[in-house]
Amino acid sequence: KVMGQDLLLVTRGAALLAYDVASGTEVKRVPLGAPAAQPPVGGGGKAFVLLKGGQLAAVDLGRAGGLAWAPVKDVPVTAPLLVSELA
C-alpha cells in the first residue's frame, strides 16, 4: 500500500510497473536499466528489484513526479529477495 493505494508490482522488459489493484490501471512506470532477474518485492513504500547482471534497484514508490532508484552492484542472483516491515 502506497499513499493509501494498493499496488501490484510487475516487471516488463527493463521496466518496473505499478498497477492500482482496484482498477487495474497502470499508475507508475520506471526504467530499470536492465531486465529483472527475479520478480519485484515491495515493502515500506518501496520496491526492490534484483536485475540481471547483479544490481539491486531500490525504488521509492511514493516519490512524486516519478520513481527514483539507486543501484547496488554485485548482488548474488541466487536467492529470492525478502522485505521485512518489522524495522
Side-chain angles (χ1 to χ4, degrees):
K1 191 169 255 196
V2 176
M3 310 217 19
Q5 189 174 35
D6 289 320
L7 298 179
L8 171 67
L9 303 173
V10 297
T11 56
R12 184 174 301 140
L16 173 71
L17 292 79
Y19 291 91
D20 178 274
V21 171
S23 68
T25 304
E26 181 183 309
V27 294
K28 303 259 184 200
R29 178 183 291 253
V30 64
L32 298 172
Q38 297 180 5
V41 296
K46 298 192 175 33
F48 302 92
V49 186
L50 189 56
L51 305 176
K52 291 183 180 178
Q55 289 188 320
L56 176 67
V59 180
D60 184 349
L61 295 169
R63 182 178 169 143
L67 303 176
W69 72 282
V72 178
K73 295 182 180 183
D74 301 322
V75 177
V77 185
T78 56
L81 294 173
L82 299 175
V83 174
S84 172
E85 297 204 22
L86 298 176

